[in-house]
Amino acid sequence: MTDYPKMLAPLDLGHVVLKNRVLMGSMHTGLEETRDWGRVAEFYAARASVGLMVTGGIAPNKEGAVAPDAAGMITDQDVANHRIVTDRVHAAGGRIAMQILHAGRYAFSPECVSASAVKSPISPFPPKELAAAGIEKQINDIAAAAARAKEAGYDGVEVMGSEGYFINQFLVTHTNKRDDEWGGSYENRMRVAIEAVKRARAAVGPDFIIIYRLSMIDLIPNGSTYDEVVQLAQEIEKAGASIINTGIGWHEARIPTIATSVPRAAFAWVTKKLMGKVGIPVITSNRINTPEVVEQVLADGCADMVSMARPLLADADFVTKAAAGKGEMIAPCIACNQACLDHTFGGKLTSCLVNPRACHELKLVVKPAAAVKSVAVVGAGPAGLSTAMTAAERGHRVVLFDKSKELGGQLNMAKQVPGKEEFHGLVDWFARSIDAAGIDVRLGVVAGVDDLKGFDEVIIATGVVPRDPGIPGQEGANVVSYIDVLTGAAVPGRRVAVIGAGGIGFDVAEYLVTGDSPTLDLPEWMREWGVTDPEAARGGLALEGPQPEAPEREVVLLQRKAKALGKGLGKTTGWIHRSALKMKKVEMVGGVNYEKIDADGLHVTSGEARENPRVIAVDTVVLCAGQESERSLADALEEIGVAVHVIGGADVAAELDAKRAINQGVRLAAAL
Ligand code: NAP
Ligand code: SF4
């Protein structure tokens, strides 16, 4: 008997039976754009244990491509390239559908087209309004791409109708200002969506999966009403779709939908509203990242199937492990976006913070070691943990030291921050994996030079120490470090100044202003961000707007740079941190000099000329002024001629994060 009977139950679509209820949702990994189709094939084949997977968005024509170099399904050569992928996936026992993505005004190109010439706030290019003939062409191109996908061996296609892309742009008056047969009434605005599915079905015949990705809750002004969503779903079913997949929020929505601070399965209730309204299976998605959550969502009747994307980056064997009763060994996606979406939007190939092998299946290979070595790893933060695990996986004998009594290093700090609860799961998974690998763990031990003699390899992952900002008065009782705050060793007063606005300064400010974490309380989180039932308000935007809880403290967040605070935060998540702090009335001040700290508070001046002296009257000052490498052990070993590998924060402290630490650790261990 499995722990996850609902997740592992087959889904009968009539002409085909999917082996379980997990869909790997579409991700723009950038792999298709490498044109290395063997590599693309390997990525998908490694994930063939899911019931069905969907490729990244593939353009049906030039004008619909998300970017000028984006992969398409337009030519015979495209068919041949994609055939490499489908053959490989089928040989691995999987099923795969190709997503047809017409980006409309989200296309990063001056050639972009849409229902009306309404520029998107997240693109520099105003779209050209299509004439009726142009609309017909777009629909026919979508149908032709479906036919080519079938020719290329795909099991189906997903017609992308959500997230604010082309089809979605026709559906709502926010972007469709037309008064011809493609605009005005809802019947007219739905026509592109319906025709796309109808013509795609006609092009591929009956025995081929067509998923329609439907925006259940737009989260933008003048979005669809709930009745419109249901009406569209029913029309899409009639048009010939096999499955409806849920889309949550347009890309330009100012409400987080997948970030780590979004509660788990936060939008499953929205999908549930569609259950029973259509006769075809319905898929839910967003912030579902463990088999337990999948099982619960299915048990609650929220959907027939669950879509996960990033969790399949974190662990390609998600389903296999769950089916083997090893669900607790699944590497958890912490929804950080740091190595996936931040890379995508930064023009870099996607990977995963937790699993640097994602999208590098053929490049970063972990093979059994040719000769077994004894390996000492000092430091059980992310760099040390990932090195130890990977080295042990290769068969090396590993001893892991840490002066602390618990594994995790700085991750233990992160997990204290409201909205970063997923870090608990990450630390726990590391601990279970280290245990299962039979690694000799020595906690509470300050490893010295003598402890490290006789090992074949010595890895120093001793991390970082806080930078000393050297502010006069910082030794006072009213000054504490972020470590004191996040470990609970110090309890700051009501009014706090936070010195340093990097990742940790932002985290500490969030910790200081937040009471109970809204991430663990869905109704509270919805109030905080102004999300409501789409039956109550168009697009699910609460009429009263965001209603955040009052801040727990008055916080001023400061930096010396004169630019806006938080510019260095994650590309896809920085805005969420900035908005969250603004909602909690955190004052953000840049361009200051820290003159001194005394009983009155923090004394600052502005700019190079040190003008405008003033006192920020606070009870506590928290230092978050960055990090420096802790290299004393590495230096001592090198001095007596012991060769060491220095990784993670001990190697480079500047802008260190878990992504770089884990990546460096895995790569080193793969080469030992
Ligand atoms: P950081 O990002 O390097 O930020 C350090 C902050 O301290 C900056 O705001 C800097 O601004 C200030 N600072 C630097 N030297 C100073 C000095 N001598 N006196 C006073 N202020 C000084 O470091 P961090 O915040 O400690 O974070 C460490 C790393 O952890 C980050 O780089 C980040 O990658 C990672 N992290 C990431 C996240 C995330 O959300 N992804 C969250 C937490 C931590 P000025 O120089 O302008 O004053
Ligand atoms: Fe998940 Fe972060 Fe990995 Fe992306 S980088 S898949 S969000 S853990």
Side-chain angles (χ1 to χ4, degrees):
M1 176 62 187
T2 162
D3 292 337
Y4 314 110
K6 296 197 182 309
M7 179 176 104
L8 298 174
L11 179 63
D12 191 347
L13 295 178
H15 75 282
V16 65
V17 178
L18 304 181
K19 59 188 170 192
N20 56 58
R21 304 296 177 108
V22 176
L23 178 98
M24 181 170 102
S26 176
M27 286 180 277
H28 307 297
T29 60
L31 274 177
E32 282 89 352
E33 285 69 33
T34 65
R35 268 66 178 174
D36 181 346
W37 294 94
R39 189 173 180 183
V40 181
E42 197 56 36
F43 169 76
Y44 288 111
R47 291 156 175 84
S49 53
V50 300
L52 179 64
M53 54 186 111
V54 182
T55 65
I58 303 292
N61 56 26
K62 278 252 168 268
E63 57 272 34
V66 272
D69 70 333
M73 182 53 97
I74 304 167
T75 65
D76 290 347
Q77 186 57 51
D78 291 332
V79 173
N81 292 339
H82 283 259
R83 173 61 79 174
I84 298 168
V85 178
T86 57
D87 281 351
R88 187 76 186 79
V89 168
H90 292 149
R95 291 193 184 280
I96 184 162
M98 187 192 86
Q99 188 187 71
I100 304 173
L101 171 64
H102 191 308
R105 68 178 194 148
Y106 281 168
F108 197 78
S109 156
E111 303 305 315
C112 65
V113 297
S114 186
S116 303
V118 182
K119 195 178 99 52
S120 148
I122 57 170
S123 164
F125 303 109
K128 293 190 181 74
E129 178 174 315
L130 284 163
I135 296 174
E136 290 285 350
K137 175 183 182 298
Q138 307 310 310
I139 299 170
N140 290 337
D141 287 347
I142 290 171
R148 285 187 181 280
K150 188 175 181 195
E151 200 187 331
Y154 280 104
D155 299 282
V157 289
E158 176 172 82
V159 176
M160 183 42 153
S162 67
E163 257 72 6
Y165 287 115
F166 181 71
I167 292 177
N168 220 174
Q169 291 158 25
F170 273 83
L171 286 168
V172 299
T173 55
H174 184 69
T175 39
N176 184 344
K177 313 286 183 196
R178 306 178 71 95
D179 54 11
D180 60 1
E181 68 273 30
W182 303 99
S185 68
Y186 191 56
E187 276 63 28
N188 285 350
R189 284 182 277 129
M190 276 194 300
R191 188 163 289 148
V192 166
I194 296 166
E195 283 301 315
V197 173
K198 227 185 235 174
R199 293 183 205 179
R201 176 55 78 202
V204 297
D207 295 341
F208 192 70
I209 301 167
I210 297 183
I211 307 167
Y212 179 81
R213 184 101 175 260
L214 185 145
S215 184
M216 286 290 309
I217 181 165
D218 291 327
L219 300 175
I220 54 154
N222 300 319
S224 294
T225 65
Y226 170 70
D227 289 344
E228 287 171 347
V229 168
V230 174
Q231 192 185 345
L232 176 63
Q234 291 169 344
E235 292 297 332
I236 290 293
E237 179 180 6
K238 279 191 231 155
S242 330
I243 302 177
I244 288 182
N245 189 9
T246 303
I248 304 294
W250 286 38
H251 283 317
E252 68 203 62
R254 290 293 87 184
I255 291 167
T257 54
I258 60 167
T260 194
S261 58
V262 176
R264 284 180 172 181
F267 294 95
W269 62 273
V270 185
T271 311
K272 188 176 184 182
K273 293 173 75 73
L274 197 58
M275 292 292 278
K277 301 280 192 299
V278 288
I280 51 179
V282 174
I283 304 178
T284 194
S285 70
N286 287 50
R287 284 291 282 118
I288 297 172
N289 65 340
T290 71
E292 285 72 25
V293 180
V294 175
E295 201 61 19
Q296 193 62 52
V297 162
L298 294 172
D300 290 346
C302 295
D304 300 292
M305 194 173 190
V306 165
S307 169
M308 290 180 284
R310 298 171 299 169
L312 274 305
L313 290 178
D315 200 329
D317 297 321
F318 186 104
V319 174
T320 317
K321 287 181 183 172
K326 293 185 173 164
E328 79 283 359
M329 300 312 289
I330 294 171
C333 165
I334 56 169
C336 63
N337 286 0
Q338 281 178 249
C340 52
L341 282 168
D342 285 351
H343 278 208
T344 306
F345 286 96
K348 286 197 272 182
L349 198 63
T350 285
S351 189
C352 172
L353 175 142
V354 176
N355 173 24
R357 282 178 261 175
C359 297
H360 295 75
E361 284 75 13
L362 294 175
K363 306 267 175 191
L364 179 51
V365 181
V366 176
K367 286 195 286 244
V372 173
K373 293 180 178 175
S374 61
V375 179
V377 180
V378 186
L385 287 167
S386 55
T387 314
M389 271 173 61
T390 311
E393 188 184 333
R394 297 190 58 216
H396 293 310
R397 286 189 309 276
V398 182
V399 182
L400 175 62
F401 299 90
D402 199 293
K403 63 179 185 329
S404 162
K405 289 210 164 53
E406 55 176 356
L407 299 173
Q410 297 270 328
L411 299 176
N412 291 315
M413 228 72 82
K415 73 188 189 190
Q416 303 305 330
V417 178
K420 289 202 162 178
E421 289 79 5
E422 291 290 352
F423 279 84
H424 284 279
L426 180 59
V427 175
D428 294 348
W429 169 76
F430 268 126
R432 282 192 295 271
S433 305
I434 291 283
D435 187 40
I439 292 167
D440 177 353
V441 181
R442 303 187 191 168
L443 294 177
V445 174
V446 181
V449 170
D450 289 341
D451 299 300
L452 300 170
K453 286 182 182 155
F455 284 94
D456 297 322
E457 305 280 358
V458 177
I459 290 124
I460 303 297
T462 42
V464 290
V465 286
R467 177 183 289 130
D468 175 0
I471 303 168
Q474 67 179 26
E475 59 292 336
N478 57 345
V479 184
V480 295
S481 103
Y482 72 90
I483 299 175
D484 299 327
V485 174
L486 294 178
T487 57
V491 180
R494 292 279 313 148
R495 302 166 308 160
V496 185
V498 177
I499 288 186
I504 291 178
F506 266 79
D507 275 359
V508 166
E510 197 130 2
Y511 176 91
L512 293 171
V513 293
T514 310
D516 294 335
S517 174
T519 302
L520 303 177
D521 180 348
L522 181 57
E524 173 55 29
W525 180 87
M526 288 172 60
R527 260 194 308 281
E528 186 128 336
W529 286 95
V531 179
T532 190
D533 190 326
E535 249 179 296
R538 264 186 188 280
L541 286 188
L543 299 176
E544 62 277 18
Q547 302 287 314
E549 287 280 300
E552 293 278 299
R553 293 180 175 83
E554 283 171 37
V555 172
V556 187
L557 178 61
L558 303 113
Q559 71 178 19
R560 297 170 306 172
K561 287 184 285 290
K563 44 185 191 177
L565 276 70
K567 282 285 171 207
L569 298 175
K571 235 179 161 46
T572 61
T573 52
W575 68 271
I576 302 171
H577 295 297
R578 288 189 292 272
S579 304
L581 293 192
K582 273 183 199 148
M583 287 199 288
K584 295 285 191 184
K585 302 191 166 41
V586 172
E587 194 185 336
M588 302 195 198
V589 186
V592 296
N593 311 296
Y594 307 113
E595 301 296 348
K596 66 173 179 178
I597 303 167
D598 62 16
D600 296 332
L602 174 63
H603 296 246
V604 296
T605 55
S606 302
E608 277 180 32
R610 304 189 102 86
E611 294 161 334
N612 188 19
R614 61 203 184 278
V615 186
I616 301 175
V618 289
D619 309 308
T620 311
V621 176
V622 184
L623 302 179
C624 306
Q627 323 284 334
E628 271 155 20
S629 296
E630 170 51 275
R631 287 192 54 108
S632 49
L633 180 59
D635 292 343
L637 286 163
E638 278 170 353
E639 225 162 77
I640 58 161
V642 177
V644 295
H645 306 273
V646 184
I647 60 167
D651 175 27
V652 182
E655 304 201 345
L656 174 75
D657 61 28
K659 180 181 81 170
R660 180 153 61 77
I662 292 174
N663 187 28
Q664 199 179 11
V666 171
R667 282 175 193 278
L668 169 64
L672 281 179

